[in-house]
Amino acid sequence: ELQCLVDDRKVRRPDALHDLLRRLGDLSLDEVRARSLDDPSPWIAALEADGRAARLRVAGEERVVAVEDVARYRDAVGAQPPPGIPTAHLEPTEAPLEGLLARWSRTHGPFHARDIAARFGLLAAQVAPALRVLVGERRLLDGDFHLEGLRPPHPSVGPQGLAGDPTFVHPDVLRLVRRRALARLRDEVAPVDATVLARFLPAWHGIELFPSVTEGGAAPLARSGARRMREVVEQLEGLPLPWSELERSILPARIASFSPGLLDELGALGELTWVGRGALGADDGRVALVRRDRAALVIDPPSPLDGEQPIHRVLLGHLESRGASFYPQLRAACMAGVPSTDDAAIIAALWDLVWSGHLTNDTFQPLRAWASPRRSRRSAFAPETAGRWSTVASLLGPVPTDTERAHALALTLLERYGVVSREAATAEGVPGGFGVIAPVLRAMEESGKVRRGYFVEGLSGAQFAHPGAVDRLRASRGGDDAGDVVVLAAVDPANPYGALLPWPASPGDGEGVAHPRRVAGAQVVLVRGAPAFTLEPGGHKLRAFVDGLDGAGRDAALAGLRQLATRRRHRELSIAEVNGVPALRSEHAALLEEGGFRTEPNRLVLRVAG
């Protein structure tokens, strides 16, 4: 196209040929014919007769040039002008060789100095200074450009080469090639079904699968240890998740032989901390895990506390002036500042500040004690006495720019979901929505770090993904194994339903039953990327989506329920309601009984042996 060799760019009249010579420069007679739809000989003759074109010998070959360029070729390569050229076209030109090289580069792909030198009958050493001038003026780029279909740079320096034998390219050409390459990559992957995304996400997060009763084989266990813990934190960073689900379901699903000590180890090393993001009743709350060195990029400064009391101001004032402090120090400050206070008021104020995002602790023990049954919190050990308390503001340091925060958020979402769309920004509650990170993602696409396309059906608008994520998403299309079963907390970001994707309808049983909720305590069993069962918090209400599964798929879904039972207290499921109707009268009762459930008064119960 740049050389006008495709049919829709070929010339068909003298005026167009003259424009072609101005745009491309000198052309031999054969080169003119290759760019013309008809015989160009009469056109050339007409242009010569009108004084608009001339014939010069360049590199030992007769070539046609626009008359406006005759002086430039004379001054740059020593071509002899033919008789009859008007004096106005023979005035000395400024930087003639640089002008010829710049024009030639605009209509060619990456080239070496020897390539362009040969075109004009010069040595590479003669054109090298002019090329360097153009590079210095940013009219050319030099480097090691390898483009498919074009000759790659020679590894050695030829007799006329330059040191290192660099490749040159015009910036406009490189931008055009990049746009075409990106367009091809966008069209390379046909959009996959939503269930493929649901198969991809658990694998992207390294979620452990378990053996299906129908297949007997298991996927490799998730990796273990502190290194794996760091990888998991990188994916979950900044996402508010119920603390109870983090240690009970979300982290164990990703890390083999998970133990709370892994969190404590990274906390003790000063690598990891946590920030409260709202209480969930009296025994739980949302917590965001944060790497300390990235806290300023992923954590918003705390907002003023609603209903602030004097005791809140005393706690914050002490920590802001004295720094991290143990509970006895905070207690002494509160007793001095608010004499009428007591331990219960101090502890209540402390947790008010935690869940509003103002305070954190350098250990995770207070969170564990907070989420434990109330009777254990009346023991001699008080959770507030563990570790040192500090302000979240002390973690933030210098305030990053909006662009830095948007870039950090875009990277976090790419790590978390692999494919980032408008739904991901909505699910995460990004202030300003997808429009905040879209410019960053587009810039990353231009630099080749991510791809843009329509990768997943059901996700709206532009979708951006790591190249590796696109490849893995494509590979997930072949997952038809009935043993592709995974049990997740409903709030787990590896579960796309209710966040990135809508919950499917559950046919049968009760009418008008609400969709499952992404809340603490809710669980989901996915088979081949589709929900098979969801369990409501409390463990007594089941939603079944198994009508579309074949026999092997139903067996796998029942295996998922058995796996879910092993994670619950007393290793049992006690189901009182299925799809909004009493379990014993549900049309799914027979299927559940086949899966090992036993009929008890007003419920179906599954017990798994230890």
Side-chain angles (χ1 to χ4, degrees):
E1 291 179 6
L2 292 175
Q3 283 289 309
C4 300
L5 290 168
V6 293
D7 287 344
D8 61 348
R9 297 206 175 190
K10 290 183 178 181
V11 298
R12 59 185 73 215
R13 58 184 182 273
D15 289 340
L17 177 56
H18 181 253
D19 292 338
L20 182 71
L21 295 173
R22 294 294 304 274
R23 188 163 65 251
L24 301 186
D26 58 285
L27 295 173
S28 68
L29 294 178
D30 288 338
E31 290 171 340
V32 173
R33 292 190 186 97
R35 290 158 177 80
S36 304
L37 288 176
D38 296 314
D39 181 10
S41 299
W43 306 340
I44 295 173
L47 292 176
E48 288 180 302
D50 292 342
R52 300 168 65 190
R55 302 187 190 220
L56 301 178
R57 292 198 66 81
V58 179
E61 180 182 33
E62 184 178 78
R63 296 181 188 167
V64 182
V65 301
V67 72
E68 294 88 346
D69 290 330
V70 169
R72 178 179 290 178
Y73 280 89
R74 177 200 63 197
D75 298 341
V77 301
Q80 182 64 37
I85 300 296
T87 304
H89 293 310
L90 296 177
E91 295 291 336
T93 56
E94 182 179 354
L97 184 56
E98 287 83 349
L100 291 182
L101 300 183
R103 178 169 61 185
W104 192 88
S105 68
R106 285 196 297 269
T107 59
H108 290 80
F111 60 91
H112 296 284
R114 59 177 170 271
D115 299 325
I116 198 168
R119 174 67 187 180
F120 297 112
L122 302 173
L123 299 176
Q126 291 175 285
V127 302
L131 291 174
R132 291 301 173 195
V133 168
L134 294 173
V135 170
E137 295 174 351
R138 304 299 296 170
R139 297 166 66 187
L140 279 184
L141 302 176
D142 63 339
D144 224 6
F145 301 101
H146 297 264
L147 300 180
E148 182 181 348
L150 299 177
R151 182 176 63 227
H154 293 273
S156 61
V157 179
Q160 297 180 338
L162 298 174
D165 204 18
T167 317
F168 299 89
V169 68
H170 194 280
D172 292 344
V173 174
L174 186 60
R175 280 192 287 268
L176 177 61
V177 171
R178 180 172 290 164
R179 285 196 297 268
R180 296 291 181 86
L182 290 174
R184 184 174 66 180
L185 289 172
R186 291 170 194 159
D187 296 336
E188 191 175 77
V189 181
V192 301
D193 186 77
T195 56
V196 176
L197 177 65
R199 284 199 296 267
F200 159 80
L201 273 177
W204 183 252
H205 279 262
I207 300 292
E208 175 185 348
L209 304 182
F210 60 90
S212 165
V213 294
T214 59
E215 299 295 333
L221 292 176
R223 291 167 291 168
S224 61
R227 182 176 179 180
R228 175 59 183 157
M229 184 75 233
R230 292 184 180 94
E231 294 173 353
V232 170
V233 170
E234 185 176 354
Q235 281 192 307
L236 300 180
E237 186 170 48
L239 179 64
L241 293 167
W243 168 251
S244 58
E245 295 288 9
L246 263 173
E247 283 209 323
R248 181 175 62 201
S249 300
I250 295 174
L251 295 179
R254 291 160 167 78
I255 304 171
S257 304
F258 170 78
S259 70
L262 290 174
L263 280 174
D264 296 330
E265 178 182 347
L266 295 186
L269 291 173
E271 296 183 26
L272 180 64
T273 189
W274 55 270
V275 177
R277 281 292 179 253
L280 297 173
D283 302 300
D284 202 2
R286 296 185 187 89
V287 170
L289 299 178
V290 183
R291 290 172 287 176
R292 283 183 179 267
D293 59 344
R294 287 176 54 82
L297 293 170
V298 298
I299 297 297
D300 294 324
S303 301
L305 183 66
D306 292 336
E308 182 178 291
Q309 302 296 321
I311 192 171
H312 296 130
R313 291 193 292 270
V314 170
L315 286 169
L316 288 174
H318 174 86
L319 291 171
E320 289 168 355
S321 61
R322 301 293 183 88
S325 302
F326 292 100
Y327 178 73
Q329 297 169 294
L330 297 177
R331 182 178 183 276
C334 289
M335 292 296 185
V338 189
S340 61
T341 192
D342 56 16
D343 278 304
I346 296 172
I347 291 173
L350 192 65
W351 284 104
D352 285 343
L353 293 171
V354 166
W355 297 126
S356 63
H358 286 79
L359 298 189
T360 184
N361 194 287
D362 57 9
T363 73
F364 291 86
Q365 188 58 39
L367 290 171
R368 296 189 185 107
W370 174 269
S372 65
R374 300 294 295 185
R375 60 179 180 274
S376 69
R377 293 178 56 198
R378 293 196 294 267
S379 65
F381 177 80
E384 293 75 18
T385 64
R388 296 184 307 165
W389 294 96
S390 59
T391 63
V392 171
S394 65
L395 301 174
L396 303 184
V399 179
T401 65
D402 291 342
T403 300
E404 289 172 334
R405 288 180 62 86
H407 182 257
L409 178 58
L411 291 178
T412 298
L413 294 181
L414 285 167
E415 287 296 327
R416 185 130 63 231
Y417 298 110
V419 178
V420 176
S421 64
R422 193 174 304 277
E423 285 79 5
T426 301
E428 301 252 341
V430 175
F434 186 68
V436 172
I437 60 173
V440 175
L441 292 168
R442 286 194 292 268
M444 294 175 69
E445 184 203 14
E446 286 292 328
S447 63
K449 295 178 182 177
V450 301
R451 295 184 187 179
R452 179 172 62 175
Y454 185 49
F455 303 121
V456 181
E457 289 183 357
L459 298 185
S460 61
Q463 301 170 22
F464 296 85
H466 282 305
V470 174
D471 295 337
R472 291 179 62 176
L473 184 67
R474 176 193 290 177
S476 299
R477 287 184 294 193
D480 293 328
D481 183 9
D484 183 9
V485 186
V486 63
V487 177
L488 298 172
V491 296
D492 196 314
N495 167 37
Y497 294 101
L500 306 182
L501 302 172
W503 291 102
S506 54
D509 290 335
E511 295 293 333
V513 179
H515 286 301
R517 298 176 296 158
R518 291 179 64 96
V519 294
Q523 305 287 316
V524 59
V525 177
L526 301 179
V527 176
R528 304 169 185 164
F533 293 106
T534 63
L535 187 67
E536 292 290 310
H540 303 304
K541 295 182 179 181
L542 192 70
R543 295 290 303 278
F545 302 87
V546 296
D547 289 1
L549 295 176
D550 57 17
R554 293 190 178 197
D555 289 342
L558 292 171
L561 286 182
R562 287 192 288 275
Q563 178 69 14
L564 181 55
T566 65
R567 303 181 182 183
R568 299 188 62 81
R569 187 180 300 176
H570 308 309
R571 299 175 65 86
E572 74 172 28
L573 290 177
S574 179
I575 307 301
E577 185 179 294
V578 179
N579 288 6
V581 301
L584 298 182
R585 293 194 285 109
S586 167
E587 65 182 44
H588 297 92
L591 174 65
L592 295 176
E593 290 174 352
E594 291 175 8
F597 282 80
R598 297 291 179 261
T599 301
E600 294 191 5
N602 300 321
R603 63 192 60 233
L604 292 169
V605 179
L606 174 66
R607 295 185 176 90
V608 180

